[in-house]
Short mmCIF file of all heavy atoms in Angstrom, two decimals:
data_model
loop_
_atom_site.label_atom_id
_atom_site.label_comp_id
_atom_site.label_asym_id
_atom_site.label_seq_id
_atom_site.Cartn_x
_atom_site.Cartn_y
_atom_site.Cartn_z
N ILE A 40 9.73 -4.26 -13.52
CA ILE A 40 8.78 -3.65 -12.57
C ILE A 40 9.01 -2.14 -12.50
O ILE A 40 8.08 -1.35 -12.52
CB ILE A 40 8.96 -4.21 -11.14
CG1 ILE A 40 8.49 -5.65 -11.08
CG2 ILE A 40 8.17 -3.38 -10.14
CD1 ILE A 40 8.40 -6.15 -9.66
N HIS A 41 10.28 -1.76 -12.42
CA HIS A 41 10.58 -0.33 -12.30
C HIS A 41 10.26 0.42 -13.59
O HIS A 41 9.83 1.56 -13.56
CB HIS A 41 12.03 -0.14 -11.85
CG HIS A 41 12.26 -0.62 -10.44
ND1 HIS A 41 12.69 -1.89 -10.15
CD2 HIS A 41 12.06 -0.01 -9.25
CE1 HIS A 41 12.77 -2.04 -8.84
NE2 HIS A 41 12.39 -0.92 -8.26
N MET A 87 -1.02 4.64 -9.08
CA MET A 87 -1.31 3.25 -8.72
C MET A 87 -2.80 2.95 -8.86
O MET A 87 -3.19 1.91 -9.39
CB MET A 87 -0.83 3.04 -7.28
CG MET A 87 -1.32 1.83 -6.60
SD MET A 87 -2.82 2.22 -5.66
CE MET A 87 -3.40 0.57 -5.38
N HIS A 91 -4.45 0.10 -11.49
CA HIS A 91 -5.35 -0.98 -11.07
C HIS A 91 -6.76 -0.79 -11.62
O HIS A 91 -7.43 -1.76 -11.97
CB HIS A 91 -5.36 -1.10 -9.54
CG HIS A 91 -4.14 -1.76 -8.99
ND1 HIS A 91 -3.97 -2.06 -7.67
CD2 HIS A 91 -3.00 -2.21 -9.61
CE1 HIS A 91 -2.79 -2.65 -7.47
NE2 HIS A 91 -2.18 -2.74 -8.63
N LEU A 94 -7.28 -2.17 -15.21
CA LEU A 94 -7.14 -3.62 -15.42
C LEU A 94 -8.41 -4.24 -16.02
O LEU A 94 -9.51 -3.74 -15.79
CB LEU A 94 -6.82 -4.32 -14.09
CG LEU A 94 -5.41 -4.13 -13.53
CD1 LEU A 94 -5.35 -4.64 -12.09
CD2 LEU A 94 -4.38 -4.87 -14.38
N CYS A 96 -10.13 -6.74 -15.16
CA CYS A 96 -11.15 -7.14 -14.20
C CYS A 96 -11.83 -5.93 -13.56
O CYS A 96 -12.80 -6.07 -12.82
CB CYS A 96 -10.54 -8.02 -13.12
SG CYS A 96 -9.34 -7.17 -12.12
N ASP A 116 0.04 -9.13 -14.77
CA ASP A 116 0.76 -9.48 -13.55
C ASP A 116 1.69 -8.34 -13.11
O ASP A 116 1.68 -7.92 -11.96
CB ASP A 116 1.53 -10.80 -13.71
CG ASP A 116 2.39 -10.85 -14.97
OD1 ASP A 116 2.33 -9.91 -15.78
OD2 ASP A 116 3.13 -11.85 -15.14
N ASP A 123 1.14 -2.13 -6.71
CA ASP A 123 1.44 -2.43 -5.31
C ASP A 123 2.77 -1.77 -4.89
O ASP A 123 2.89 -1.25 -3.78
CB ASP A 123 1.56 -3.95 -5.10
CG ASP A 123 0.23 -4.66 -5.22
OD1 ASP A 123 -0.81 -3.97 -5.36
OD2 ASP A 123 0.21 -5.90 -5.18
N ALA A 127 3.40 1.02 -1.93
CA ALA A 127 4.35 0.85 -0.83
C ALA A 127 5.42 1.94 -0.85
O ALA A 127 5.76 2.52 0.19
CB ALA A 127 5.00 -0.53 -0.92
N LEU A 143 7.11 13.85 14.34
CA LEU A 143 5.70 13.88 14.74
C LEU A 143 4.81 14.27 13.56
O LEU A 143 3.78 13.65 13.30
CB LEU A 143 5.50 14.86 15.90
CG LEU A 143 4.05 15.06 16.35
CD1 LEU A 143 3.47 13.78 16.93
CD2 LEU A 143 3.94 16.20 17.37
N GLY A 150 -0.26 8.88 8.49
CA GLY A 150 -1.59 8.44 8.92
C GLY A 150 -2.69 9.02 8.04
O GLY A 150 -3.62 8.30 7.64
N ALA A 153 -2.68 7.25 4.64
CA ALA A 153 -3.20 5.89 4.75
C ALA A 153 -4.73 5.91 4.84
O ALA A 153 -5.42 5.09 4.22
CB ALA A 153 -2.60 5.18 5.97
N ARG A 154 -5.26 6.87 5.60
CA ARG A 154 -6.72 6.98 5.74
C ARG A 154 -7.38 7.36 4.43
O ARG A 154 -8.48 6.91 4.11
CB ARG A 154 -7.07 8.04 6.79
CG ARG A 154 -7.11 7.50 8.18
CD ARG A 154 -7.92 8.36 9.11
NE ARG A 154 -8.00 9.77 8.72
CZ ARG A 154 -8.55 10.71 9.47
NH1 ARG A 154 -9.04 10.40 10.63
NH2 ARG A 154 -8.59 11.95 9.06
N ALA A 158 -9.79 1.56 2.76
CA ALA A 158 -11.18 1.12 2.67
C ALA A 158 -12.16 2.20 3.12
O ALA A 158 -13.35 2.11 2.86
CB ALA A 158 -11.38 -0.14 3.51
N GLU A 159 -11.69 3.24 3.80
CA GLU A 159 -12.58 4.34 4.17
C GLU A 159 -12.33 5.55 3.28
O GLU A 159 -12.89 6.62 3.50
CB GLU A 159 -12.40 4.70 5.65
CG GLU A 159 -10.98 5.01 5.98
CD GLU A 159 -10.71 5.06 7.47
OE1 GLU A 159 -11.57 5.49 8.23
OE2 GLU A 159 -9.59 4.66 7.86
N TYR B 38 -14.87 -4.75 3.41
CA TYR B 38 -14.40 -5.13 4.74
C TYR B 38 -14.48 -6.64 4.93
O TYR B 38 -13.62 -7.26 5.56
CB TYR B 38 -15.19 -4.39 5.83
CG TYR B 38 -14.87 -2.92 5.84
CD1 TYR B 38 -15.64 -2.00 5.13
CD2 TYR B 38 -13.78 -2.44 6.56
CE1 TYR B 38 -15.33 -0.65 5.12
CE2 TYR B 38 -13.46 -1.09 6.56
CZ TYR B 38 -14.24 -0.20 5.84
OH TYR B 38 -13.92 1.13 5.84
N HIS B 89 -2.96 -10.81 -3.62
CA HIS B 89 -2.56 -10.45 -4.98
C HIS B 89 -1.75 -11.57 -5.64
O HIS B 89 -1.88 -11.80 -6.84
CB HIS B 89 -1.80 -9.12 -4.97
CG HIS B 89 -2.70 -7.92 -4.80
ND1 HIS B 89 -2.25 -6.62 -4.85
CD2 HIS B 89 -4.03 -7.85 -4.59
CE1 HIS B 89 -3.28 -5.79 -4.67
NE2 HIS B 89 -4.36 -6.51 -4.49
N CYS B 94 -4.13 -13.67 -12.76
CA CYS B 94 -3.04 -13.19 -13.62
C CYS B 94 -1.67 -13.40 -12.97
O CYS B 94 -0.65 -13.12 -13.57
CB CYS B 94 -3.25 -11.72 -13.96
SG CYS B 94 -3.08 -10.61 -12.56
N MET B 95 -1.67 -13.90 -11.74
CA MET B 95 -0.39 -14.16 -11.05
C MET B 95 -0.22 -15.67 -10.90
O MET B 95 -0.08 -16.36 -11.88
CB MET B 95 -0.38 -13.47 -9.69
CG MET B 95 -0.60 -11.97 -9.79
SD MET B 95 0.92 -11.05 -9.99
CE MET B 95 0.83 -10.06 -8.53
N VAL B 113 -12.38 -11.11 -8.70
CA VAL B 113 -11.03 -10.57 -8.91
C VAL B 113 -10.98 -9.08 -8.59
O VAL B 113 -10.02 -8.60 -7.98
CB VAL B 113 -10.57 -10.83 -10.36
CG1 VAL B 113 -9.22 -10.17 -10.62
CG2 VAL B 113 -10.48 -12.32 -10.63
N ASP B 114 -12.01 -8.34 -8.98
CA ASP B 114 -11.98 -6.89 -8.73
C ASP B 114 -11.91 -6.60 -7.24
O ASP B 114 -11.10 -5.79 -6.77
CB ASP B 114 -13.17 -6.18 -9.40
CG ASP B 114 -14.52 -6.81 -9.10
OD1 ASP B 114 -14.56 -7.85 -8.39
OD2 ASP B 114 -15.54 -6.28 -9.57
N ILE B 117 -8.47 -7.46 -5.72
CA ILE B 117 -7.45 -6.43 -5.96
C ILE B 117 -7.65 -5.27 -4.99
O ILE B 117 -6.71 -4.80 -4.36
CB ILE B 117 -7.50 -5.94 -7.42
CG1 ILE B 117 -6.97 -7.04 -8.33
CG2 ILE B 117 -6.70 -4.64 -7.60
CD1 ILE B 117 -6.84 -6.67 -9.78
N ASP B 121 -5.35 -3.67 -2.04
CA ASP B 121 -5.03 -2.23 -2.09
C ASP B 121 -5.43 -1.52 -0.79
O ASP B 121 -4.85 -0.49 -0.45
CB ASP B 121 -5.75 -1.55 -3.26
CG ASP B 121 -5.16 -1.97 -4.61
OD1 ASP B 121 -4.13 -2.67 -4.62
OD2 ASP B 121 -5.73 -1.59 -5.65
N PRO B 125 -2.46 0.08 3.02
CA PRO B 125 -2.54 1.31 3.83
C PRO B 125 -3.12 1.07 5.22
O PRO B 125 -2.75 1.78 6.16
CB PRO B 125 -3.44 2.24 3.01
CG PRO B 125 -4.11 1.40 2.01
CD PRO B 125 -3.22 0.21 1.76
N ARG B 129 -1.80 2.70 8.62
CA ARG B 129 -2.76 3.47 9.42
C ARG B 129 -2.81 2.91 10.84
O ARG B 129 -2.84 3.65 11.81
CB ARG B 129 -4.14 3.34 8.76
CG ARG B 129 -5.25 4.08 9.44
CD ARG B 129 -6.59 3.55 8.89
NE ARG B 129 -7.71 4.35 9.31
CZ ARG B 129 -8.17 4.42 10.55
NH1 ARG B 129 -7.57 3.73 11.51
NH2 ARG B 129 -9.21 5.18 10.84
N TYR B 133 -2.02 5.09 14.26
CA TYR B 133 -3.08 5.48 15.19
C TYR B 133 -3.16 4.61 16.45
O TYR B 133 -3.90 4.94 17.36
CB TYR B 133 -4.43 5.51 14.47
CG TYR B 133 -4.49 6.64 13.45
CD1 TYR B 133 -4.48 6.37 12.08
CD2 TYR B 133 -4.51 7.97 13.85
CE1 TYR B 133 -4.51 7.39 11.14
CE2 TYR B 133 -4.53 9.00 12.94
CZ TYR B 133 -4.53 8.71 11.58
OH TYR B 133 -4.54 9.73 10.67
N GLU B 142 8.22 8.90 17.71
CA GLU B 142 7.82 8.95 16.29
C GLU B 142 8.95 8.56 15.35
O GLU B 142 8.71 7.99 14.29
CB GLU B 142 7.32 10.35 15.93
CG GLU B 142 5.90 10.64 16.34
CD GLU B 142 5.79 11.05 17.79
OE1 GLU B 142 6.83 11.33 18.41
OE2 GLU B 142 4.65 11.10 18.30
N ALA B 153 7.36 -0.86 4.24
CA ALA B 153 7.11 -0.44 2.86
C ALA B 153 8.18 -1.00 1.93
O ALA B 153 7.88 -1.51 0.85
CB ALA B 153 7.07 1.09 2.77
N ARG B 154 9.44 -0.93 2.35
CA ARG B 154 10.52 -1.45 1.51
C ARG B 154 10.39 -2.97 1.34
O ARG B 154 10.65 -3.51 0.28
CB ARG B 154 11.87 -1.08 2.12
CG ARG B 154 13.05 -1.30 1.16
CD ARG B 154 14.33 -0.66 1.66
NE ARG B 154 14.62 -0.99 3.04
CZ ARG B 154 14.66 -0.10 4.03
NH1 ARG B 154 14.46 1.17 3.78
NH2 ARG B 154 14.90 -0.49 5.25
N SER B 158 9.05 -2.83 -4.46
CA SER B 158 9.60 -3.27 -5.74
C SER B 158 10.98 -3.92 -5.63
O SER B 158 11.46 -4.51 -6.58
CB SER B 158 9.68 -2.08 -6.70
OG SER B 158 10.57 -1.11 -6.16
N PHE B 166 7.64 -11.14 -8.84
CA PHE B 166 7.91 -10.88 -10.26
C PHE B 166 8.88 -11.92 -10.82
O PHE B 166 8.62 -12.55 -11.85
CB PHE B 166 8.48 -9.47 -10.45
CG PHE B 166 9.06 -9.23 -11.81
CD1 PHE B 166 8.22 -9.04 -12.90
CD2 PHE B 166 10.43 -9.23 -12.02
CE1 PHE B 166 8.74 -8.84 -14.17
CE2 PHE B 166 10.96 -9.02 -13.28
CZ PHE B 166 10.12 -8.84 -14.35
#
Side-chain angles (χ1 to χ4, degrees):
Chain A
I40 290 191
H41 293 92
M87 165 267 164
H91 283 185
L94 287 168
C96 65
D116 50 355
D123 290 354
L143 176 65
R154 273 201 334 187
E159 55 193 325
Chain B
Y38 291 93
H89 284 185
C94 67
M95 303 271 240
V113 175
D114 50 358
I117 289 185
D121 289 353
R129 181 195 190 291
Y133 292 109
E142 280 82 11
R154 193 168 49 243
S158 62
F166 168 75

